[in-house]
Each structure stands twice: as structure tokens, then as C-alpha cells.
Amino acid sequence: MDFDTVIHGGTIATAAEIYQGDIGIRDGRIAAVAERLPGGTRRIDAGGRIVMPGGIEAHAHIAQESSSGVMTADDYLSGSVSAAFGGNSSFIPFAAQHRGQSVDEVIATYGERAKRSVIDYSWHLIISDPQPEVLEDQLPRAFASGITSFKVFMTYDLMNLGDGGMLDILTVAREHGAVTMVHAENNDMVKWMNRQLASKGLTAPKYHAISRPELAEEEAINRAIQLAKLVDAPLFIVHVSTAGGAAIVQREKLAGAKLFAETCPQYLALTRDDLDRPGMEGAKYICSPPLRDHATQDALWRHIASGTFESVSSDHAPYRADQSGKFLNGIDVPYPKIANGMPGIAARLPWLFSEGVAKGRITLEQFVALSSTNAAKTFGCSAKGRIAPGMDADIAIWNPETRRKVTLADQHDNMDYTPFEGLELMGVPEIVMTRGETVVEHGTLKAAEGQGRFVARKPADLRGRSGWQAKEFDPAQNFGAVLR
């Protein structure tokens, strides 16, 4: 058998096992996996290295306007390059609908923006204006085109759909095999806290963490899950930041809910103390949900190790610490007027490998699952996330022994800071390939602008999730059967 590329002599790591072997690549796909493979137009010596599926970053904001009109610093060129240097071979950023926009318009806009990507891509839609034509026509057509997930908000006045709006969306998603992602925080709790703090003049960045209590997330996570259970729809809870929220997810998964969840490195590496840095430095660490404390970090690590979360995603939201981003409304402004979000797409996997695998918190197999395989299953990337014949040759080759400190230059994004600056990490991706083409090699970008392709995705893998049958909707009952 002839191969374009053979990766030989490495330790192959999958979500299920670790073994020594070679990988043969032909026409952008994995053609063979064996103990030894001869030939190959190009042979890559992976001795002493770990060969694993390329990361799939499933939560990133690239070339996206916020509801308040702030554009992220990264476009699809800089954002995809940064992702690749962080070990990712594909990503699924958000394509945001704002009030008055059609889904068709959103997809066309982001389709143009994404043409610059150096890695493969898809989108999660953000739905903020679910008019009848959106629910009945535009979303079903988007699903049919391979965009099989979307996100809704339970907070922010310009994005919050309310419980009834969520039920409408969840029902459409269930009917078409789509996954609804949700930002779960109780909007009224947060607004009430903002008013209380403002009345006392407590508006410095550090009060952002106080304004969004753990209870606000926990109540909203529980409510979102109950709404999804009512109509038996798949639900993905994004950026879980609390021990209580993770415990709710764990409990409801055990009960059979069609439920997925993630947490993010910032909730494991940083605390609310970072919001109290001198001057307005704390503004760099404003994100929602907010950073918590060390006890919460310990609890989240336990949930990662025990399988509560499908993934650890970056929630890359790159707003520069200047008037184009964080300080669009001015430098000395109350925390609610500071742009929400932090960068992290390049730091996600090196940080998780170092803090998770190298320190013994998770296994290498769990790292592969959390970084790639689970995202592929959850979001329908059927040709990605595994090392097996027939799969896309999306591969990352890691040196597990390399030590380095995080620097802004290493992120290769369009930001003016990284919240992980100075952290010492062990393990680095040396070569990243998308469909057999080298994107990054030993610190050098090899890909051409626009090399990435759109990935049409399938419905989520719901095997093992029995779902929930509300007794009111039991088909055996005359009333309620009509809703099924």
C-alpha cells in the first residue's frame, strides 16, 4: 500500500487505549494503523512522542460581534493559527444571530469570514431572535446543511430568550436531531446584584465576581435541564464554573437525561483574586460566569476525572485590553460596562496536558477524550476525533517532556495579553496536521490561508442516554400524546 505520509515509531494515544504503532496517511485520511508500516512519500519519526487525534476546540468566539457591538480581536486567520499552535486541527466557533437578523444572513456572513481559516471549521449558531420563520424554516435548513448545534442564553437582556422561548427552541432541536447549548445564569439574580453593588459604589472589576453568585449559575443549570427534560431534548451546559452546577449535571446524567457539559481552563487555573489586581488590570480577568476559588477548582478537577464533563474547552473570547475591546466604553468604567471574556485557544490543551496528565489528575486517554474524541461524538464530527482507518488524518504529535513558560508570543493570536502568562507547562504539540496536511511544525506555521474546510456535521451520538419521558406526555395517555 502506498502512503503520502507515514508517522512511525510513536506512542499512539486514543480515548480508549495507548500502544506503539505507525500510521499511514493517503489522500487526507488515515489509511492504515499497524505495528510497522514501510514506505511513505514523507516519513515522520515520532520516536519519544505521543501521537493523538488533533484537538477539536468546540467553544470559541472568532470574528464575532457581541450583543453590545464589540468585535473579537481574532478573525478566522489569527484565530485558527492560534488554535493550531495549541494542538487543534479543527474548531467550532459561534455564528451569532442578533435581533432582527435571519439565520440565512448569519450563515452567509460567517461563511465569508471563515474562508481565511487554516484548519477545518464548523459553527454553532447563537439564536437570540427565534421568530416563527426562524423556528419553522431557517433552523431546519441550517440543520440539514450540517450545522447541528446552537446556543441560547439565560442571561443578558439582549440575548435572554426566557423559559418559553427556550422550550420552543428545544422542541425544534429535538425534532431535527440538534444539540442546544446553553449559557446558564439567572438573569434576574445578576441584575439585582448589579443594582445592589452599584448603590454602594462597588463597581471595580473585582465586584464582577460578586455580582454573579454561584447560586445564579446553579439555579439556571437546574432550570435549563428541567426544560430540556420536559421535551426530551439533548442539552449541553457550557462553561460550568461551580461545584454545585457540576453536581447537578452529574446527578441528571445518572438519571438518564440527554445531557452534556464542559468546563474551561480559566476556572481551574485562576481565581477571583485575579480580578483584584492593581488599577484596571483585573478587567483582563472578567468573564461570565466569573472566576471562583481554590475549593471550586478542586471540585471541578474531581468532576473532570470522574466523567461529569465531556470536554474542557477554552471559551476563547479575545477582547484586547484597550478601547477596541475591554475598554470600548472607556477606561475607568463600572465592571458591567467592561467586555466579558478572556483568550485561551492556544493555551487550552498544553495547560490541560500539563496540569492534568503530567500531574496525574487525569489519564492520557482521558486527555484525548476531553480534547477531541468527545467533542467529535457530541457535535457530530463523524470523520474526526479518532485514530482509525477511514478517519480524517487530523493528528497532533506531542513531546511530553518539553517544558516552557506561557508567553503572549506563543499564543499566535491577535491579543495584547494572555491570562496564563508565566505559567510553566510540561508538554507541547510539535506537529499538527489537518486532513494529512501539516499546519504547524516545530513552532513554524506551514499552512496557507484558507486551507481549512467547512465540516458538515451529523446529529449527536446519544447512545447511553435514555432520555426522560414526562408522564404527562406518555403516548399511552390521550392528553399529551399530541405533543409527542
Side-chain angles (χ1 to χ4, degrees):
M1 184 178 291
D2 295 327
F3 302 110
D4 301 321
T5 303
V6 171
I7 302 170
H8 64 92
T11 299
I12 298 174
T14 74
E17 57 189 346
I18 301 170
Y19 55 93
Q20 299 297 123
D22 295 355
I23 299 172
I25 299 169
R26 187 175 63 246
D27 297 330
R29 291 184 176 266
I30 296 172
V33 181
E35 186 175 357
R36 290 185 181 85
L37 289 173
T41 304
R42 180 190 184 194
R43 291 184 64 83
I44 299 175
D45 184 356
R49 306 298 193 264
I50 301 170
V51 184
M52 66 182 75
I56 300 174
E57 174 56 77
H59 189 153
H61 303 273
I62 307 294
Q64 180 194 325
E65 300 97 338
S66 71
S67 59
S68 57
V70 186
M71 175 63 84
T72 58
D74 281 319
D75 61 17
Y76 272 80
L77 179 58
S78 64
S80 64
V81 167
S82 183
F85 273 96
N88 298 285
S89 55
S90 61
F91 62 170
I92 314 175
F94 292 96
Q97 178 210 34
H98 297 297
R99 300 290 170 91
Q101 285 185 309
S102 73
V103 170
D104 298 325
E105 177 186 352
V106 172
I107 293 173
T109 296
Y110 281 85
E112 286 299 314
R113 293 173 181 176
K115 287 180 178 179
R116 305 190 71 192
S117 181
V118 302
I119 61 176
D120 287 357
Y121 60 88
S122 187
W123 304 289
H124 311 292
L125 291 167
I126 290 177
I127 302 299
S128 64
D129 196 6
Q131 298 296 320
E133 59 270 23
V134 171
L135 297 175
E136 297 167 10
D137 176 45
Q138 295 170 15
L139 277 179
R141 283 193 286 106
F143 302 152
S145 74
I147 303 172
T148 55
S149 54
F150 57 89
K151 180 181 177 184
V152 296
F153 286 79
M154 300 175 78
T155 188
Y156 308 127
D157 286 344
L158 294 176
M159 306 297 288
N160 180 21
L161 299 182
D163 292 353
M166 279 192 62
L167 285 168
D168 289 339
I169 284 277
L170 287 161
T171 303
V172 171
R174 185 200 69 219
E175 291 172 354
H176 294 274
V179 173
T180 303
M181 308 168 76
V182 62
H183 178 137
E185 289 182 287
N186 184 300
N187 195 46
D188 285 333
M189 281 188 182
V190 172
K191 291 169 67 176
W192 187 86
M193 289 293 293
N194 284 338
R195 290 195 298 271
Q196 302 307 306
L197 292 166
S199 70
K200 298 175 175 60
L202 305 177
T203 60
K206 66 180 179 180
Y207 293 106
H208 171 77
I210 307 302
S211 73
R212 308 182 91 90
E214 293 184 12
L215 282 173
E217 178 184 91
E218 293 161 11
E219 186 282 330
I221 286 176
N222 183 68
R223 179 159 41 97
I225 293 171
Q226 305 316 312
L227 293 170
K229 284 168 63 177
L230 180 64
V231 296
D232 195 26
L235 185 71
F236 190 108
I237 309 292
V238 300
H239 49 48
V240 176
S241 73
T242 61
I248 293 168
V249 170
Q250 183 184 55
R251 180 194 73 210
E252 295 290 355
K253 279 189 170 186
L254 185 62
K258 295 174 181 174
L259 184 60
F260 307 89
E262 67 175 16
T263 191
C264 306
Q266 52 266 37
Y267 301 119
L268 303 165
L270 306 168
T271 71
R272 63 180 57 185
D273 292 340
D274 289 294
L275 290 161
D276 196 21
R277 296 193 179 201
M280 293 300 284
E281 278 294 298
K284 295 178 179 179
Y285 300 87
I286 286 180
C287 61
S288 294
L291 305 176
R292 307 294 183 182
D293 55 25
H294 291 297
T296 300
Q297 292 175 342
D298 293 340
L300 292 176
W301 271 117
R302 291 193 295 271
H303 279 283
I304 290 170
S306 64
T308 300
F309 300 116
E310 272 65 37
S311 55
V312 177
S313 303
S314 73
D315 191 7
H316 181 70
Y319 299 116
R320 293 171 63 91
D322 60 24
Q323 292 182 341
S324 73
K326 287 286 185 180
F327 303 118
L328 183 70
N329 296 309
I331 297 296
D332 189 17
V333 295
Y335 67 82
K337 293 186 176 296
I338 297 172
N340 254 296
M342 291 188 290
I345 201 167
R348 172 182 78 117
L349 295 184
W351 186 89
L352 183 61
F353 185 94
S354 182
E355 291 296 310
V357 179
K359 291 189 176 180
R361 290 185 172 110
I362 57 174
T363 67
L364 181 55
E365 295 96 325
Q366 286 175 309
F367 175 78
V368 174
L370 290 162
S371 66
S372 180
T373 305
N374 288 349
K377 292 179 179 179
T378 303
F379 296 115
C381 302
S382 58
K384 300 185 181 297
R386 292 191 293 129
I387 302 291
M391 303 296 289
D392 283 353
D394 286 17
I395 292 170
I397 302 175
W398 285 68
N399 185 332
E401 303 298 329
T402 298
R403 289 184 178 272
R404 66 181 175 91
K405 286 189 176 181
V406 177
T407 67
L408 175 60
D410 285 338
Q411 305 312 293
H412 299 274
D413 56 18
N414 196 30
M415 285 296 294
D416 54 357
Y417 78 96
T418 169
F420 304 100
E421 185 79 44
L423 294 181
E424 185 170 307
L425 304 182
M426 174 176 280
V428 62
E430 293 183 336
I431 297 176
V432 177
M433 308 174 79
T434 297
R435 287 177 285 100
E437 297 292 332
T438 300
V439 181
V440 168
E441 184 172 6
H442 298 290
T444 300
L445 179 67
K446 297 291 188 177
E449 178 178 336
Q451 184 173 304
R453 297 179 186 170
F454 171 73
V455 177
R457 296 179 285 119
K458 295 181 178 180
D461 183 350
L462 297 176
R463 291 175 297 172
R465 290 172 169 83
S466 58
W468 183 269
Q469 179 71 65
K471 62 183 180 181
E472 291 82 2
F473 296 162
D474 186 341
Q477 301 284 345
N478 290 327
F479 61 92
V482 67
L483 297 178
R484 304 297 292 176

mmCIF file of all heavy atoms in Angstrom, residues 240-258:
data_model
loop_
_atom_site.group_PDB
_atom_site.id
_atom_site.type_symbol
_atom_site.label_atom_id
_atom_site.label_comp_id
_atom_site.label_asym_id
_atom_site.label_seq_id
_atom_site.Cartn_x
_atom_site.Cartn_y
_atom_site.Cartn_z
ATOM 1 N N VAL A 240 -19.304 25.356 32.803
ATOM 2 C CA VAL A 240 -19.715 25.162 34.195
ATOM 3 C C VAL A 240 -18.575 25.626 35.103
ATOM 4 O O VAL A 240 -17.434 25.188 34.963
ATOM 5 C CB VAL A 240 -20.046 23.682 34.467
ATOM 6 C CG1 VAL A 240 -20.379 23.466 35.941
ATOM 7 C CG2 VAL A 240 -21.205 23.225 33.582
ATOM 8 N N SER A 241 -18.894 26.501 36.051
ATOM 9 C CA SER A 241 -17.848 27.117 36.876
ATOM 10 C C SER A 241 -17.996 26.825 38.358
ATOM 11 O O SER A 241 -17.187 27.296 39.154
ATOM 12 C CB SER A 241 -17.853 28.636 36.668
ATOM 13 O OG SER A 241 -18.987 29.234 37.295
ATOM 14 N N THR A 242 -19.018 26.063 38.753
ATOM 15 C CA THR A 242 -19.282 25.843 40.175
ATOM 16 C C THR A 242 -19.368 24.360 40.490
ATOM 17 O O THR A 242 -19.770 23.536 39.660
ATOM 18 C CB THR A 242 -20.610 26.495 40.593
ATOM 19 O OG1 THR A 242 -21.681 25.893 39.841
ATOM 20 C CG2 THR A 242 -20.591 27.992 40.345
ATOM 21 N N ALA A 243 -19.017 24.044 41.744
ATOM 22 C CA ALA A 243 -19.142 22.666 42.209
ATOM 23 C C ALA A 243 -20.602 22.238 42.229
ATOM 24 O O ALA A 243 -20.939 21.104 41.863
ATOM 25 C CB ALA A 243 -18.523 22.532 43.598
ATOM 26 N N GLY A 244 -21.485 23.140 42.647
ATOM 27 C CA GLY A 244 -22.906 22.820 42.691
ATOM 28 C C GLY A 244 -23.477 22.562 41.313
ATOM 29 O O GLY A 244 -24.284 21.646 41.119
ATOM 30 N N GLY A 245 -23.068 23.372 40.330
ATOM 31 C CA GLY A 245 -23.532 23.167 38.962
ATOM 32 C C GLY A 245 -23.064 21.837 38.405
ATOM 33 O O GLY A 245 -23.826 21.116 37.755
ATOM 34 N N ALA A 246 -21.803 21.487 38.677
ATOM 35 C CA ALA A 246 -21.282 20.206 38.212
ATOM 36 C C ALA A 246 -22.015 19.042 38.869
ATOM 37 O O ALA A 246 -22.290 18.028 38.218
ATOM 38 C CB ALA A 246 -19.790 20.117 38.503
ATOM 39 N N ALA A 247 -22.353 19.188 40.147
ATOM 40 C CA ALA A 247 -23.069 18.123 40.843
ATOM 41 C C ALA A 247 -24.463 17.912 40.256
ATOM 42 O O ALA A 247 -24.950 16.773 40.167
ATOM 43 C CB ALA A 247 -23.163 18.446 42.333
ATOM 44 N N ILE A 248 -25.118 18.994 39.844
ATOM 45 C CA ILE A 248 -26.437 18.871 39.209
ATOM 46 C C ILE A 248 -26.309 18.116 37.893
ATOM 47 O O ILE A 248 -27.109 17.216 37.579
ATOM 48 C CB ILE A 248 -27.062 20.262 38.993
ATOM 49 C CG1 ILE A 248 -27.385 20.919 40.339
ATOM 50 C CG2 ILE A 248 -28.327 20.155 38.137
ATOM 51 C CD1 ILE A 248 -27.736 22.392 40.218
ATOM 52 N N VAL A 249 -25.303 18.458 37.107
ATOM 53 C CA VAL A 249 -25.074 17.767 35.834
ATOM 54 C C VAL A 249 -24.833 16.281 36.088
ATOM 55 O O VAL A 249 -25.407 15.411 35.418
ATOM 56 C CB VAL A 249 -23.879 18.388 35.085
ATOM 57 C CG1 VAL A 249 -23.492 17.526 33.881
ATOM 58 C CG2 VAL A 249 -24.213 19.804 34.626
ATOM 59 N N GLN A 250 -23.992 15.973 37.063
ATOM 60 C CA GLN A 250 -23.687 14.581 37.381
ATOM 61 C C GLN A 250 -24.952 13.816 37.782
ATOM 62 O O GLN A 250 -25.197 12.699 37.311
ATOM 63 C CB GLN A 250 -22.658 14.539 38.514
ATOM 64 C CG GLN A 250 -22.196 13.150 38.913
ATOM 65 C CD GLN A 250 -21.263 13.198 40.110
ATOM 66 O OE1 GLN A 250 -21.616 13.757 41.154
ATOM 67 N NE2 GLN A 250 -20.071 12.652 39.968
ATOM 68 N N ARG A 251 -25.760 14.415 38.620
ATOM 69 C CA ARG A 251 -26.996 13.777 39.087
ATOM 70 C C ARG A 251 -27.958 13.518 37.939
ATOM 71 O O ARG A 251 -28.524 12.425 37.814
ATOM 72 C CB ARG A 251 -27.665 14.674 40.129
ATOM 73 C CG ARG A 251 -28.970 14.131 40.713
ATOM 74 C CD ARG A 251 -29.704 15.222 41.458
ATOM 75 N NE ARG A 251 -30.321 16.205 40.560
ATOM 76 C CZ ARG A 251 -30.514 17.484 40.867
ATOM 77 N NH1 ARG A 251 -30.134 17.969 42.036
ATOM 78 N NH2 ARG A 251 -31.091 18.288 39.988
ATOM 79 N N GLU A 252 -28.142 14.503 37.067
ATOM 80 C CA GLU A 252 -29.108 14.362 35.995
ATOM 81 C C GLU A 252 -28.619 13.409 34.905
ATOM 82 O O GLU A 252 -29.422 12.732 34.260
ATOM 83 C CB GLU A 252 -29.446 15.731 35.410
ATOM 84 C CG GLU A 252 -30.153 16.663 36.379
ATOM 85 C CD GLU A 252 -31.586 16.225 36.680
ATOM 86 O OE1 GLU A 252 -32.066 15.258 36.063
ATOM 87 O OE2 GLU A 252 -32.226 16.865 37.531
ATOM 88 N N LYS A 253 -27.321 13.345 34.693
ATOM 89 C CA LYS A 253 -26.790 12.339 33.774
ATOM 90 C C LYS A 253 -27.103 10.935 34.282
ATOM 91 O O LYS A 253 -27.498 10.044 33.512
ATOM 92 C CB LYS A 253 -25.279 12.505 33.617
ATOM 93 C CG LYS A 253 -24.850 13.572 32.642
ATOM 94 C CD LYS A 253 -23.349 13.485 32.418
ATOM 95 C CE LYS A 253 -22.899 14.351 31.277
ATOM 96 N NZ LYS A 253 -21.473 14.168 30.959
ATOM 97 N N LEU A 254 -26.894 10.737 35.572
ATOM 98 C CA LEU A 254 -27.173 9.436 36.176
ATOM 99 C C LEU A 254 -28.642 9.065 36.012
ATOM 100 O O LEU A 254 -28.984 7.888 35.843
ATOM 101 C CB LEU A 254 -26.792 9.447 37.655
ATOM 102 C CG LEU A 254 -26.907 8.118 38.416
ATOM 103 C CD1 LEU A 254 -25.971 7.071 37.813
ATOM 104 C CD2 LEU A 254 -26.589 8.321 39.891
ATOM 105 N N ALA A 255 -29.514 10.056 36.005
ATOM 106 C CA ALA A 255 -30.952 9.818 35.851
ATOM 107 C C ALA A 255 -31.338 9.572 34.393
ATOM 108 O O ALA A 255 -32.502 9.288 34.110
ATOM 109 C CB ALA A 255 -31.739 11.001 36.406
ATOM 110 N N GLY A 256 -30.371 9.700 33.469
ATOM 111 C CA GLY A 256 -30.640 9.372 32.075
ATOM 112 C C GLY A 256 -30.871 10.540 31.148
ATOM 113 O O GLY A 256 -31.171 10.337 29.967
ATOM 114 N N ALA A 257 -30.767 11.772 31.639
ATOM 115 C CA ALA A 257 -31.007 12.928 30.778
ATOM 116 C C ALA A 257 -30.027 12.948 29.607
ATOM 117 O O ALA A 257 -28.876 12.522 29.723
ATOM 118 C CB ALA A 257 -30.884 14.222 31.583
ATOM 119 N N LYS A 258 -30.492 13.457 28.479
ATOM 120 C CA LYS A 258 -29.639 13.607 27.300
ATOM 121 C C LYS A 258 -28.795 14.871 27.482
ATOM 122 O O LYS A 258 -29.063 15.924 26.917
ATOM 123 C CB LYS A 258 -30.498 13.687 26.043
ATOM 124 C CG LYS A 258 -31.277 12.411 25.762
ATOM 125 C CD LYS A 258 -32.233 12.586 24.587
ATOM 126 C CE LYS A 258 -33.023 11.306 24.329
ATOM 127 N NZ LYS A 258 -34.054 11.484 23.277
#
